[in-house]
Amino acid sequence: MVFQERTYAVLIVSVSAKFDEAVRALLPPTDYWPVVTARSAGEARRRMLEETFDLVLIQTPLRDEFGSRLAADICESSGAGVLLLVKKELYDDVYAKVMEQGVMVLPVPASAQTVAQTLRILCAARERLRRMEEKQASVEEKIEEIRLVNRAKWLLIEQLQMTETDAHRYIEKQSMDLRISRRAVAENIINTY
């Protein structure tokens, strides 16, 4: 990937050190860093609690479970893109089980080019999800600001017998005069009363 602003943190979950080496060869540190490995689903779950990963690659089967439940759990609990690698003969069954959770499934053996292309698709999906998460956080902040301003308005109405229009105008004017956000004005009013 050329002229990329960020790198993608990767968790490789596999019982095979040989697989880890093969995948690491497809993950240049300019694009994918850090690259962390886990040998079991339990270890992967612990790693997911300790760190945030953008991509998770799971080669099935694992020591303590097959790996499809881990893949689905990661998709449900985080924004990481998950690639599950399964034997060709199991592909259709596993795909049917995990597709709804957003897990990408790839039959193995797969060429290095196919895996690399799939990783790029996961990176693109991760970026789209990251933008959606940022928008959601922005909306939540605005909702919280509206709640605080409304609470401050009602305090002004109760304590200073202002009308709702006057309370709103007061908060807006304080915000402009003091060059602070409406949220800061509302917090000051709430702390005062």
Side-chain angles (χ1 to χ4, degrees), residues 25-158:
L26 301 173
L27 303 172
T30 54
D31 299 334
Y32 304 97
W33 188 87
V35 177
V36 177
T37 58
R39 295 282 173 238
S40 66
E43 183 182 351
R45 284 185 171 90
R46 282 189 298 279
R47 290 278 192 170
M48 292 292 297
L49 291 173
E50 296 166 359
E51 301 175 54
T52 301
F53 294 98
D54 297 301
L55 306 175
V56 180
L57 284 75
I58 304 169
Q59 181 195 32
T60 62
L62 300 173
R63 287 186 183 135
D64 49 353
E65 68 176 71
F66 180 73
S68 54
R69 181 77 255 148
L70 172 65
D73 290 347
I74 291 170
C75 280
E76 289 177 11
S77 65
S78 76
V82 180
L83 176 59
L84 189 64
L85 296 132
V86 299
K87 292 180 181 174
K88 279 185 181 180
E89 54 272 9
L90 300 175
Y91 174 80
D92 290 329
D93 290 338
V94 172
Y95 174 78
K97 290 178 184 173
V98 298
M99 181 266 309
E100 287 185 17
Q101 284 82 24
V103 177
M104 290 193 73
V105 182
L106 200 59
V108 290
S111 70
Q113 181 180 4
T114 301
V115 174
Q117 288 171 340
T118 305
L119 289 172
R120 288 188 179 126
I121 291 168
L122 279 173
C123 289
R126 180 67 187 117
E127 285 307 312
R128 186 167 187 224
L129 187 57
R130 192 184 319 270
R131 282 195 314 275
M132 291 172 64
E133 289 168 346
E134 288 170 359
K135 285 180 185 176
Q136 180 181 354
S138 173
V139 168
E140 288 173 1
E141 287 174 18
K142 288 177 185 175
I143 290 170
E144 181 61 24
E145 178 182 323
I146 290 168
R147 285 185 180 137
L148 283 172
V149 168
N150 283 338
R151 187 169 164 209
K153 275 195 240 179
W154 285 110
L155 283 170
L156 291 173
I157 291 167
E158 287 174 2

